Amino acid sequence: LQFSEKLAQIQTDRKSVLCVGLDPDLSRLPKHYSGKDPLESVLDFCTRIVDATLDYACAYKPNLAFFEALGVGGLEVLKSVTEHIDGRALTIADGKRGDIGNTAKKYAHSFFEEYNFDSCTVSAYMGRDSVDPFLDYPGKLVFVLVKTSNEGSGDFQDLIVNEEALYQHVARKVEEWGDVAAGEVGFVVGATQGDTLSELRTRHPNIPFLVPGIGAQGGSIENTMAAHAEKGRVIVNSSRSIIFASDEEDFAKSAGLAAQKLAKLLI
Amino acid sequence: LQFSEKLAQIQTDRKSVLCVGLDPDLSRLPKHYSGKDPLESVLDFCTRIVDATLDYACAYKPNLAFFEALGVGGLEVLKSVTEHIDGRALTIADGKRGDIGNTAKKYAHSFFEEYNFDSCTVSAYMGRDSVDPFLDYPGKLVFVLVKTSNEGSGDFQDLIVNEEALYQHVARKVEEWGDVAAGEVGFVVGATQGDTLSELRTRHPNIPFLVPGIGAQGGSIENTMAAHAEKGRVIVNSSRSIIFASDEEDFAKSAGLAAQKLAKLLI
């Protein structure tokens, strides 16, 4: 099965397009972890978040930076977390890599074979040969950064090239590359970007979108829903507003409730 | 001391602007490692390469993909390799990260504090807030991708925005951001890009350039030298042509000779 077919299935079953972003910032973990071993704390935190939110999530997106920042052992934790998810939801390695062909090949190997992620995020500034190696994997999907959710996303992405914005140009090229690939391509399109989501949806009706920026980043649910054409075509990510819904010992319960509530708003 | 001051010092002492890229591709290691433990092999390979090339190198650039592709233990190896270098040359974490502010902060922490790298590479597609956190570290330098050495580098980097190429625009913006930062900025500019190097050098006389693409990628030494204004302003990277100079047991000696030869050509 292609990624988007699995996604459509799981979204229908769970009535949810929600992806829970795993950004286990040590400094924001619930208070009772304070003073305990960081690696064990993050592993316990993440697995409890997964268990509490699984009924309301179609996917999990570990943000690799937060695992890498824990040092070498952080990657062990990342692996344990994906093993704990164990195919019960789709997984997206959020690392935004982008490098020359022989190097991109290694990243793809790492994400798709070492860690067995279903998907990953990629930056396309270096062009086609930096994206292609990720597209060689049937059943896997690559979300390429098109229009991101952060404040500085306009600095380069909105520049006009040949009467269209750079991000529009990137989107067109990436869809072309995807047409000849074994794997699938998707776009990262921030929820904070006003009409951009619906405009890109109109131009690219069949491309799956990964939409970050809901919640802590302030993206609106209405705008997001405007881009929600059909199942398997959009994944809406929220990280901090779910995983840090409470800093008490019952944080997992609060995360589950936050996920349930948001999943319902998004359908 | 700023990164570029340390760099000028070490380049003068060793009469070398050469950076040795550590891309320990398992499938290309010397034959005698065949069948041995991959992690131990890569560690042994890298430390022997470092020992053999140290007299001719001002910097080492581990390509994170090749360490990550070894699985969790690969990062342990990366840490051991940087510890083995132990300040005897500058180190550049080549990971080309680029993400929203709170995430970029974690990557910066990881590179500069967990692994104690002197520098790292960053992709700026996401704009200023994706680069700023790396610039908060005095004494560290951030090489931002401007014009890369790969075949697809023209796909987006050469697009015309406001009468200049996107890469020229990125270069201007990044220099501005660097002017107000605690750390320093540099540019990644491929050696394979014809006049681009000298053109960027003219526009940005004071910015350190990291120049990949010499050797296996076919970049010309003449073009590279055209951008070589003064010490502390350019680092020329070669990876495969040095570390895989021989696949026999005396590979380290061959790597040392290749480094010595290239270092001399670059002065």
Side-chain angles (χ1 to χ4, degrees), chain B:
Chain B
L1 281 186
Q2 289 283 65
F3 178 96
S4 57
E5 293 169 305
K6 291 183 214 165
L7 182 65
Q9 186 64 55
I10 199 166
Q11 288 188 340
T12 303
D13 290 349
R14 285 187 201 157
K15 296 189 180 58
S16 173
V17 298
L18 177 67
C19 173
V20 176
L22 300 174
D23 299 19
D25 188 338
L26 255 193
S27 67
R28 296 195 58 185
L29 290 200
K31 292 174 297 200
H32 71 283
Y33 289 115
S34 168
K36 300 211 173 127
D37 179 72
L39 297 174
E40 283 172 25
S41 298
V42 168
L43 178 57
D44 185 69
F45 174 76
C46 288
T47 52
R48 290 179 63 191
I49 291 281
V50 168
D51 291 342
T53 55
L54 195 61
D55 287 346
Y56 320 111
C58 62
Y60 290 90
K61 180 175 74 62
N63 182 330
L64 303 197
F66 290 88
F67 293 88
E68 293 178 17
L70 299 170
V72 171
L75 279 293
E76 195 83 63
V77 173
L78 174 66
K79 192 153 194 177
S80 301
V81 171
T82 59
E83 284 167 2
H84 182 76
I85 296 170
D86 191 27
R88 294 177 294 164
L90 291 162
T91 52
I92 305 167
D94 191 8
K96 302 188 175 66
R97 306 297 199 249
D99 212 312
I100 67 173
N102 77 322
T103 302
K105 217 170 144 175
K106 289 292 168 181
Y107 282 126
H109 169 87
S110 178
F111 296 148
F112 295 148
E113 303 195 46
E114 283 293 328
Y115 292 89
N116 201 25
F117 278 104
D118 299 302
S119 174
C120 68
T121 57
V122 162
S123 171
Y125 183 73
M126 290 180 66
R128 181 169 189 160
D129 51 342
S130 68
V131 175
D132 270 349
F134 293 95
L135 293 171
D136 285 343
Y137 288 82
K140 307 285 187 181
L141 184 142
V142 180
F143 287 105
V144 178
L145 301 183
V146 167
K147 184 74 174 99
T148 58
S149 56
N150 60 313
E151 197 191 319
S153 73
D155 287 343
F156 303 124
Q157 297 164 23
D158 289 350
L159 292 173
I160 302 298
V161 293
N162 302 326
E163 300 179 356
E164 67 184 344
L166 176 60
Y167 77 83
Q168 293 170 322
H169 185 85
V170 169
R172 279 200 299 110
K173 290 312 227 180
V174 168
E175 178 161 22
E176 277 174 40
W177 303 341
D179 283 344
V180 293
E184 292 178 284
V185 291
F187 299 163
V188 175
V189 188
T192 52
Q193 301 305 328
D195 300 334
T196 309
L197 257 172
S198 46
E199 164 231 306
L200 282 169
R201 174 50 76 215
T202 307
R203 287 173 175 234
H204 306 278
N206 299 315
I207 300 279
F209 289 1
L210 171 62
V211 181
I214 285 281
Q217 291 186 59
S220 98
I221 288 173
E222 291 69 28
N223 274 332
T224 305
M225 298 329 295
H228 180 358
E230 53 177 307
K231 298 280 189 304
R233 294 283 175 265
V234 72
I235 299 179
V236 180
N237 183 77
S238 185
S239 305
R240 289 167 274 180
S241 69
I242 292 176
I243 67 174
F244 300 130
S246 157
D247 67 351
E248 303 294 330
E249 277 201 61
D250 68 345
F251 70 93
K253 195 178 162 194
S254 302
L257 289 171
Q260 183 178 28
K261 195 174 152 194
L262 185 51
K264 213 176 256 182
L265 286 173
L266 291 169
I267 285 291

Side-chain angles (χ1 to χ4, degrees), chain A residues 28-109:
Chain A
R28 295 195 57 184
L29 290 200
K31 293 175 296 202
H32 70 284
Y33 289 116
S34 167
K36 301 217 172 117
D37 178 73
L39 297 174
E40 283 172 26
S41 298
V42 169
L43 178 57
D44 185 70
F45 174 76
C46 287
T47 53
R48 289 178 64 191
I49 290 281
V50 168
D51 291 342
T53 56
L54 194 61
D55 287 346
Y56 319 111
C58 63
Y60 290 90
K61 180 175 75 60
N63 182 330
L64 303 198
F66 290 89
F67 294 89
E68 292 178 17
L70 299 169
V72 170
L75 279 292
E76 196 83 63
V77 172
L78 174 66
K79 193 155 193 173
S80 300
V81 171
T82 59
E83 283 167 3
H84 183 76
I85 296 170
D86 191 27
R88 295 178 293 164
L90 291 163
T91 52
I92 305 166
D94 192 8
K96 302 187 175 66
R97 306 298 200 249
D99 212 312
I100 67 173
N102 77 321
T103 302
K105 219 170 143 174
K106 289 292 168 183
Y107 282 126
H109 170 87

Side-chain angles (χ1 to χ4, degrees), chain A residues 169-190:
Chain A
H169 185 85
V170 170
R172 279 199 301 109
K173 289 313 230 180
V174 167
E175 178 162 24
E176 277 174 40
W177 303 342
D179 284 343
V180 294
E184 292 178 283
V185 290
F187 299 164
V188 175
V189 188

Side-chain angles (χ1 to χ4, degrees), chain A residues 125-126 128-129 146 150 155, chain B residues 125-126 128 146 150 155:
Chain A
Y125 183 72
M126 290 181 67
R128 180 169 190 161
D129 51 342
V146 167
N150 59 313
D155 287 343
Chain B
Y125 183 73
M126 290 180 66
R128 181 169 189 160
V146 167
N150 60 313
D155 287 343

